[in-house]
Amino acid sequence: MMFYSPSMLSLSLSNPTANIFFPHQICIYTLHSDPYTPHPFATQKISSSPFLSDLNTKYRRALAGSLSLYRNTERGVFFFFLLPILPLFPEMVEAQTWTTRRMSNPRLDANSTTVATTTDQVLDIPATPPGDVRNNAYSTAGSYFSPNILTAMIIASWYFSNIAVLLLNKYLLSFYGYRYPIFLTMLHMISCTCYSYVAIKFLEIVPLQHILSRRQSLKIFALSAIFCFSVVCGNTSLRYLPVSFNQAIGATTPFFTAIFSFIITCKKESAEVYFALMPVVFGIVLASNSEPLFHLFGFLVCVGSTAGRALKSVVQGILLTSEAEKLHSMNLLLYMAPMAALILLPFTLYIEGNVAAITMEKARGDPFIVFLLIGNATVAYLVNLTNFLVTKHTSALTLQVLGNAKAAVAAVVSVLIFRNPVTVMGMAGFAVTIMGVVLYSEAKKRSKVTTH
């Protein structure tokens, strides 16, 4: 299909194939409405006019650019603008092949056996791979699931692992009678060490990063100590407090983060951010006064766990600021977990006694405890893995929003499973805290936009 005018040649791509005839340069091109579908006539013949050899070189380059534009366009109409001088050579329209000017097209095969006197010279343009091959070649799972389904599965796994580890810890420490939170945390660290090594070394989910200096290892050791304190306090609090109240206290992490940022780095937030923290504190005060199963020691260690998480995030931002020292979250877990296990070992031996012998004795009477401990340690690693996957497939902001919703979901599930009593005032306090966290997140986001 050809439309010719003195100054413009337009081609409608509604026809699956079409031949374009250029007056000054006779080109036979087979075009397709789908640029990613290979065609048996993928070989094009490009010829040039001996009368306009110099112009031919310029227009050939312009044509190559137009074809490149076409290959990046799904469907549409192309407009090729030609010089008004072209109608002066109508005799060239009837021709179909000319001798290609030597070296006028650098894309021609240098090893071609043809010479300048040859009648035709063929240029092979490789076909673009189909879209599904290009989109799914990077992911094995992508060939089985669509991106939306895969993301939904990852988010569901994140919810499952985060809630499951809370419920299993609560069941082991409060209902099953396994009252060794330090040893349980050490098992979590050993599990994270083993699974992280396999995931990075063999499965290669992220590239392996190495510790570059003794100074960097000392920084990671300091983070491991804070991490140990936070996790041990969190697990200990589950022995005395219901999961719902534990999650309500844990939701106050932004409050402690703002405090530590101001004390350690002298970083001041906007008035809107500090104002958003008021409902967070007020909600916890309201929930604490109306909690039927309130335990002072459990409350204090839970607050310590929340403060430890906030302190770790602030200190991590200070210690690992250098680009050379920054580690991926999965690599950081690989190095922090064994250090944390070594830190916890003397504490569990001194405070909890010979827990290994006690555990083996329990396993002889009830083998189910082995399944509980292994499953609990595995789910503890899945929490870290799914945190990474959710951030990779969505964003850090999505992970933050999911974290706010997770606290409410975990509280509801724990009430349904463990049947712990709740009050209307306690639920209202929890709701106020979650609302304050959401307002805090929005205020932080607006303050960052204003700063930048």
Side-chain angles (χ1 to χ4, degrees):
M1 179 186 303
M2 182 178 68
F3 304 93
Y4 178 75
S5 69
S7 62
M8 180 173 66
L9 187 71
S10 63
L11 171 68
S12 171
L13 300 181
S14 58
N15 188 13
T17 60
N19 292 333
I20 311 172
F21 298 92
F22 290 87
H24 76 290
Q25 175 181 319
I26 309 305
C27 302
I28 304 175
Y29 273 85
T30 301
L31 302 182
H32 319 287
S33 58
D34 184 1
Y36 301 118
T37 304
H39 195 276
F41 304 108
T43 302
Q44 297 85 23
K45 296 183 178 181
I46 301 178
S47 305
S48 60
S49 166
F51 304 104
L52 294 174
S53 58
D54 294 334
L55 286 175
N56 185 28
T57 302
K58 297 178 181 179
Y59 280 118
R60 184 185 292 108
R61 293 174 181 170
L63 176 62
S66 301
L67 288 173
S68 176
L69 177 63
Y70 167 74
R71 291 172 67 87
N72 293 325
T73 307
E74 294 285 342
R75 299 180 184 273
V77 177
F78 278 85
F79 298 97
F80 295 91
F81 295 92
L82 306 178
L83 290 176
I85 195 174
L86 297 181
L88 300 178
F89 302 93
E91 69 277 6
M92 297 167 57
V93 178
E94 302 298 328
Q96 301 231 346
T97 59
W98 294 92
T99 302
T100 304
R101 182 182 177 186
R102 190 173 194 177
M103 300 303 292
S104 64
N105 191 344
R107 295 179 62 190
L108 295 177
D109 188 2
N111 298 325
S112 176
T113 57
T114 60
V115 292
T117 58
T118 307
T119 305
D120 296 318
Q121 196 161 17
V122 177
L123 175 64
D124 292 330
I125 300 178
T128 305
D132 56 348
V133 175
R134 294 181 292 109
N135 293 334
N136 296 333
Y138 70 93
S139 175
T140 304
S143 59
Y144 298 100
F145 305 103
S146 68
N148 292 335
I149 295 178
L150 183 62
T151 303
M153 292 174 60
I154 291 172
I155 292 176
S157 301
W158 180 86
Y159 267 109
F160 169 79
S161 59
N162 276 268
I163 296 175
V165 73
L166 284 171
L167 299 181
L168 284 174
N169 287 342
K170 178 65 177 177
Y171 178 75
L172 280 168
L173 296 170
S174 294
F175 294 90
Y176 192 81
Y178 193 80
R179 304 181 181 222
Y180 308 104
I182 301 177
F183 182 75
L184 185 64
T185 306
M186 189 179 73
L187 290 181
H188 291 178
M189 298 300 105
I190 295 174
S191 170
C192 289
T193 302
C194 298
Y195 284 122
S196 296
Y197 183 80
V198 172
I200 297 176
K201 186 70 174 179
F202 298 103
L203 300 182
E204 298 181 349
I205 61 172
V206 293
L208 177 63
Q209 296 174 283
H210 298 282
I211 297 178
L212 302 178
S213 63
R214 183 179 179 182
R215 177 184 176 88
Q216 186 182 13
S217 63
L218 290 176
K219 292 179 178 179
I220 297 175
F221 183 83
L223 291 176
S224 301
I226 301 174
F227 183 56
C228 286
F229 174 79
S230 174
V231 177
V232 169
C233 287
N235 289 338
T236 304
S237 69
L238 288 173
R239 179 179 172 183
Y240 302 98
L241 300 177
V243 176
S244 56
F245 190 44
N246 174 278
Q247 290 299 290
I249 300 173
T252 61
T253 302
F255 171 76
F256 291 100
T257 303
I259 291 178
F260 287 126
S261 296
F262 178 75
I263 294 175
I264 299 175
T265 65
C266 298
K267 179 182 177 182
K268 295 182 179 180
E269 302 288 351
S270 64
E272 184 183 7
V273 173
Y274 288 124
F275 180 77
L277 291 174
M278 295 177 61
V280 176
V281 179
F282 176 73
I284 286 300
V285 173
L286 194 64
S288 301
N289 289 332
S290 58
E291 174 58 42
L293 301 179
F294 181 83
H295 192 282
L296 181 59
F297 178 75
F299 174 78
L300 293 177
V301 293
C302 190
V303 171
S305 173
T306 306
R309 282 197 299 270
L311 179 62
K312 175 182 172 293
S313 64
V314 174
V315 173
Q316 182 174 334
I318 297 173
L319 296 183
L320 301 180
T321 53
S322 171
E323 290 295 330
E325 292 183 343
K326 284 184 178 179
L327 294 175
H328 191 278
S329 60
M330 300 304 293
N331 281 278
L332 184 60
L333 179 66
L334 174 64
Y335 294 118
M336 282 179 54
M339 293 182 182
L342 291 177
I343 293 173
L344 292 174
L345 179 60
F347 286 96
T348 186
L349 292 176
Y350 178 77
I351 298 174
E352 299 175 337
N354 193 1
V355 186
I358 298 174
T359 303
M360 293 177 63
E361 185 66 27
K362 284 180 173 289
R364 293 191 185 97
D366 184 10
F368 183 63
I369 191 176
V370 178
F371 171 78
L372 285 176
L373 293 177
I374 294 177
N376 181 262
T378 302
V379 173
Y381 170 73
L382 291 179
V383 170
N384 297 278
L385 178 62
T386 52
N387 282 343
F388 159 68
L389 292 177
V390 168
T391 305
K392 176 183 177 182
H393 287 266
T394 57
S395 65
L397 179 61
T398 303
L399 183 63
Q400 188 178 23
V401 173
L402 292 175
N404 297 336
K406 183 263 296 183
V409 174
V412 172
V413 173
S414 68
V415 170
L416 295 177
I417 292 177
F418 299 118
R419 304 290 181 179
N420 55 282
V422 292
T423 62
V424 176
M425 195 65 68
M427 290 188 293
F430 189 25
V432 170
T433 298
I434 297 297
M435 183 182 66
V437 173
V438 173
L439 293 176
Y440 169 82
S441 301
E442 293 296 322
K444 285 282 289 185
K445 186 165 59 175
R446 283 193 292 269
S447 64
K448 288 181 180 180
V449 172
T450 304
T451 303
H452 294 290

